Amino acid sequence: MATTARGPGSWSENILQYFLRNNQITTEDGAQITWYHAANHKAQMKEALKSTAHMVEADVLLPSNGSDHGQPIMAHPPESSSDNTLQEWLTEVVKSNKGIKLDFKSLAAVEPSMMLLENVKKHLKRPVWINADILPGPNGNSRVVDAKPFIDTVTSFFPDVTFSLGWTTGWHPEKVNEGYSWTMVKEMECICNELNQPVTFPVRAALVRQSCSQLLWLLKKSNRLAGCRILDSQCFSLRTLKVLFLCFPVCTLMWKSGSQPDYFFSHVQPDYLDWKK
């Protein structure tokens, strides 16, 4: 039986509802959801699948050395090779009941990856998030994944998916760092305004304090905007966490595999703030 958009078993199903429906959590509380990040190489992939993590995140690119016959591989720059292809990764992950987040590092990897995903779609009755940095952000570089062809390619294969759309960012510990500007969030909103899919936004933790007004404005623009994922806490501090609780009023603590915390913030509807340490 075909699944409906955002309905049970669809790729855009709310992750809290999915794991609650499958008796993997006891209430719609992000504190009960765990993540495994960077499950790229076979050893990390196997560890992730054996773990208690609900969601598995991995990075996809094309090999630069021409190996694997141009097949997408699982690696995060600056790595350009891997012992794991996307096809091998999917073969193992579909045997589990874990949700999936794929982070694309190049546009070239998207179409061949969608073709591989299409081959296993009938086995993936669970949330699937597709991520790419599509705009330059604070201190970010211009090496972004071109938004329109990225979105068009994904939706041509899978109109029912959850998008994770971000900005490239940087952090200078010895300088004053500007946050996400109004221009940045309005440009993102302009892109997302054309979408029918739920969207989440990866946001650098150290830049949130400077950007609460802008990010809340972005989240409130549409009930399709599922939330923000707070990434990278090298500059994390208790002060930053206190500001996040003030900016996003309903908050619970969420833990990923290992000893480092993720944070889940709910604003209006369940929002996914995936704090990666």
Side-chain angles (χ1 to χ4, degrees), residues 113-225:
S113 298
M114 295 303 106
M115 295 172 68
L116 293 173
L117 276 167
E118 191 170 44
N119 292 336
V120 299
K121 181 172 174 58
K122 64 181 180 180
H123 303 295
L124 285 174
K125 304 299 183 182
R126 67 192 77 170
V128 175
W129 292 9
I130 304 296
N131 178 87
D133 290 338
I134 61 170
L135 293 172
N139 303 313
N141 58 55
S142 59
R143 295 192 299 274
V144 299
V145 177
D146 196 347
K148 181 171 173 46
F150 170 72
I151 292 170
D152 287 350
T153 300
V154 173
T155 54
S156 69
F157 283 87
F158 309 114
D160 178 30
V161 71
T162 297
F163 276 111
S164 172
L165 305 177
W167 299 261
T168 60
T169 62
W171 172 258
H172 303 297
E174 304 301 324
K175 298 180 181 179
V176 174
N177 290 266
E178 299 294 331
Y180 295 87
S181 68
W182 285 108
T183 298
M184 292 171 188
V185 297
K186 288 181 178 180
E187 188 175 5
M188 182 66 81
E189 192 276 333
C190 185
I191 293 170
C192 295
N193 188 50
E194 303 297 321
L195 300 178
N196 296 314
Q197 296 81 6
V199 183
T200 71
F201 306 107
V203 179
R204 183 177 282 261
L207 302 174
V208 171
R209 180 169 58 88
Q210 306 93 307
S211 315
C212 284
S213 297
Q214 291 86 343
L215 294 174
L216 284 174
W217 175 87
L218 181 60
L219 290 177
K220 290 177 180 178
K221 289 301 292 182
S222 171
N223 60 12
R224 289 179 296 96
L225 304 183

